[in-house]
Amino acid sequence: MTITSTDAAAVAPRRGMNILFSLTLIGLLLLLWIGLGIVTASFWTPLNISNLLRQGAMTAILAVGQTFVIITAGIDLSVGAIVGFSSVILAWLLQAGVPLWIAIAATLLLGVAIGTFHGFGIVRMGLPPFIITLATLTSLRGIGLLITNGSTISITNETFTNFARADFLGIPSLFWMVIMIALPAYVFLHLSRWGRYLFAVGSNSEAARLSGVNVNRTIYMAYILSATCAAFVGVLLASRIGIGNATQAEGWELQAIASSVIGGTSLFGAVGSVHGPLIGAFILATINNGANLLNVNSFWQRIITGLLIIVIVYFDQLRRRSSR
């Protein structure tokens, strides 16, 4: 059974408000780019723009995966640990002589397995998403450190390591990976019944169940997508830095959540998009990039990010109240 058009309209974000918010985000990003172009001569250089796109690409992909989970009124705190652990597994497989594409496929399947575990913990064991994903965060860091004995695993496959540094049509390959993820993610979330199911579960899981939505399957799907995106970012990170390191991507789960929230995803569930978190990720990347160019203390970058989250969540609450 599928959701009726009335139900879909009730759980989907209001189109007018969504467009206005998206335009506001784009305007903010453009203002940041114009302002930084004025105050620093090096911002608009091809090298810096390329670095900015590379910096924001991996956070953007994590934010898309995180958005699927947050729309269901959940949270995934493990994505940073999955990134680091996936880089270790990929490097370990390559060091063992496993062919590159098999190693990449195995790493992505690891993401699917972790996401399935999260779904099982939430659906079958009744654990809160915060607890099960926090447990995975700490466990994966520990397992990765045990595998590497607290060290790193070097990757000597130059074809693989050169990929993250390459450009195609003048655009960094990592940014092309964002496009490759974003397009099917947009179709899935906004144009398919499975995307409507995510919104329905986040709005009211019991009402969704009574409407014929398989709530348990939808929750599994959201966490599998999030973990698989994180494993894919682990592959990209390994390509960029040329090593497998369990301690890499420390705190990236917070960057992903911040990007998603800044992009308009509601932490209360049932509100979100694909393009919003992408813009949010590059807003954060621009702030970090500009702060580095201006020699601003890195601590201020965290303060600015925190203030942005407070402002966005506050206005999200106002929007929810006005829609009642």
Side-chain angles (χ1 to χ4, degrees):
M1 185 182 296
T2 59
I3 303 176
T4 66
S5 59
T6 302
D7 294 330
V11 300
R14 296 177 184 272
R15 182 179 296 273
M17 183 69 73
N18 196 32
I19 293 174
L20 177 62
F21 187 81
S22 298
L23 291 175
T24 302
L25 287 177
I26 293 172
L28 175 59
L29 184 60
L30 290 176
L31 282 175
L32 286 172
W33 281 44
I34 293 170
L36 288 171
I38 293 173
V39 299
T40 175
S42 57
F43 179 79
W44 281 105
T45 60
L47 178 60
N48 184 65
I49 295 298
S50 179
N51 285 335
L52 192 156
L53 294 178
R54 287 189 173 93
Q55 289 168 5
M58 288 183 280
T59 303
I61 295 172
L62 280 182
V64 170
Q66 186 73 242
T67 297
F68 294 134
V69 168
I70 296 178
I71 285 175
T72 66
I75 199 77
D76 189 348
L77 297 178
S78 69
V79 294
I82 295 173
V83 171
F85 186 66
S86 296
S87 74
V88 167
I89 295 301
L90 179 65
W92 178 66
L93 291 173
L94 292 176
Q95 188 181 68
V98 176
L100 176 60
W101 294 109
I102 295 178
I104 292 174
T107 304
L108 295 179
L109 286 174
L110 174 66
V112 173
I114 294 171
T116 303
F117 172 71
H118 289 158
F120 179 83
I122 296 165
V123 171
R124 299 300 180 189
M125 299 176 66
L127 297 175
F130 179 91
I131 297 300
I132 186 67
T133 58
L134 179 62
T136 305
L137 182 158
T138 57
S139 298
L140 290 182
R141 293 290 187 195
I143 295 171
L145 289 170
L146 284 174
I147 293 174
T148 62
N149 198 26
S151 184
T152 61
I153 303 175
S154 298
I155 298 174
T156 57
N157 188 315
E158 292 187 1
T159 301
F160 178 64
T161 54
N162 287 337
F163 173 79
R165 308 185 190 104
D167 292 343
F168 178 67
L169 299 178
I171 299 175
S173 56
L174 290 182
F175 189 77
W176 283 111
M177 295 299 98
V178 175
I179 297 173
M180 187 184 79
I181 294 296
L183 290 178
Y186 181 89
V187 173
F188 171 82
L189 185 61
H190 297 289
L191 303 178
S192 76
R193 60 180 177 138
W194 303 107
R196 293 195 296 272
Y197 291 169
L198 292 177
F199 286 112
V201 171
S203 177
N204 187 320
S205 60
E206 185 57 32
R209 193 189 314 276
L210 294 174
S211 298
V213 176
N214 189 323
V215 174
N216 291 347
R217 184 190 300 168
T218 303
I219 291 174
Y220 270 106
M221 180 173 57
Y223 284 89
I224 288 172
L225 289 172
S226 177
T228 304
C229 283
F232 183 60
V233 171
V235 172
L236 298 180
L237 179 63
S239 174
R240 189 175 189 195
I241 64 178
I243 59 173
N245 186 349
T247 61
Q248 283 292 329
E250 191 85 41
W252 282 22
E253 59 278 350
L254 301 181
Q255 290 287 317
I257 294 169
S259 298
S260 186
V261 171
I262 290 171
T265 307
S266 173
L267 289 172
F268 302 100
V271 176
S273 66
V274 169
H275 56 275
L278 295 180
I279 301 171
F282 284 101
I283 287 175
L284 290 184
T286 300
I287 291 172
N288 293 336
N289 180 269
N292 290 333
L293 293 177
L294 295 171
N295 294 318
V296 175
N297 191 310
S298 61
F299 298 147
W300 281 104
Q301 300 175 28
R302 299 190 179 197
I303 294 172
I304 293 171
T305 300
L307 291 174
L308 269 175
I309 293 173
I310 292 172
V311 171
I312 294 296
V313 173
Y314 173 71
F315 280 105
D316 176 56
Q317 287 182 319
L318 291 180
R319 180 173 56 181
R320 286 171 60 86
R321 291 170 188 165
S322 63
S323 63
R324 289 175 181 172

